[in-house]
Amino acid sequence: MDIVLGVSMAATTVRLLLIEGADADGVTIEEDTFDVGESSSTGAVEQVIAAIDGTREGAIEGGYRLASIGVTWSDPAQVGALREELAAREVGGVMLVSPLLAAAALAQTVGHAIGYEHIAMLFVEPDHATLAVVEVSDGSIVDLHRRALANAHPEAPREALAAELATMVAALDARGSWADGVFLVGCGTEIVSVKPALEAVTPLDVTAPEEPEMALARGA
């Protein structure tokens, strides 16, 4: 049986998902969260490599085939350190997936499950938000808009952030977007509380991951 490993790496936390199916379309075999315990990238990189090595060993022992490994990140500084360490240890077969593409891949999966042809993805980071329309059939991004956020930092009122994001979603109608629905996903910021504000400004259904903290690992 094929299995896939998705990993999301943050400065102090590493999350992983092990899923059945070469296309990650099966059941979740394992999910875990590791607190790295330091703010530098070193601990996160070490934990990611340990997770990869452990999963490969476990797959062999269990008679599985580890079809793919994808790793994404929330801090751009981390990916360089991880790439160097993977090369130094000759750890191959690892795809480094940008957070935006990991989110788009998850949006494609959600759109396919719902039966959409196109799905709008609102990807919220601590300083920026990206609104993209994803072609569900092949995962391509056919429309993309990115803007800086004034109210994404944790101390800002959630209402102010919701208003900024709602403006972006409302623009879908103004541009005549062909999206069938909106998928909301965050990277390093909490997004569940802003969902009602988005639903109020668009006739489209707004969905979000059931486990927001695991979303990017699943997309990777």
Side-chain angles (χ1 to χ4, degrees), residues 2-197:
D2 288 340
I3 57 175
V4 296
L5 174 66
V7 181
S8 65
M9 177 175 59
T12 60
T13 306
V14 173
R15 294 183 171 90
L16 66 86
L17 279 172
L18 194 62
I19 305 174
E20 286 184 359
D23 297 320
D25 54 359
V27 300
T28 299
I29 299 174
E30 180 182 354
E31 66 176 70
D32 212 340
T33 299
F34 302 97
D35 292 324
V36 178
E38 58 183 79
S39 59
S40 71
S41 63
T42 304
V45 168
E46 290 292 335
Q47 187 62 68
V48 169
I49 292 177
I52 291 170
D53 289 342
T55 301
R56 281 180 165 161
E57 292 174 3
I60 293 172
E61 293 173 359
Y64 299 117
R65 187 179 81 92
L66 186 57
S68 66
I69 302 168
V71 180
T72 191
W73 57 90
S74 60
D75 181 356
Q78 293 176 322
V79 67
L82 177 60
R83 184 180 289 110
E84 291 176 1
E85 196 64 24
L86 289 172
R89 301 192 189 192
E90 299 182 346
V91 179
V94 179
M95 295 181 294
L96 300 180
V97 185
S98 74
L100 178 64
L101 291 182
L106 183 57
Q108 179 193 13
T109 299
V110 171
H112 183 268
I114 298 174
Y116 291 164
E117 292 184 6
H118 299 89
I119 186 167
M121 174 193 70
L122 183 59
F123 179 56
V124 186
E125 301 171 87
D127 298 315
H128 291 81
T130 303
L131 183 64
V133 177
V134 179
E135 175 86 43
V136 173
S137 63
D138 60 8
S140 59
I141 297 175
V142 295
D143 188 20
L144 185 146
H145 299 269
R146 179 176 168 86
R147 67 179 275 180
L149 295 172
N151 298 289
H153 54 87
E155 294 79 13
R158 291 289 93 182
E159 295 82 359
L161 174 60
E164 282 194 273
L165 298 176
T167 299
M168 296 182 70
V169 171
L172 283 170
D173 292 333
R175 293 197 302 270
S177 169
W178 54 86
D180 301 305
V182 180
F183 181 64
L184 174 65
V185 60
C187 175
T189 188
E190 188 272 323
I191 47 87
V192 174
S193 61
V194 306
K195 184 171 177 280

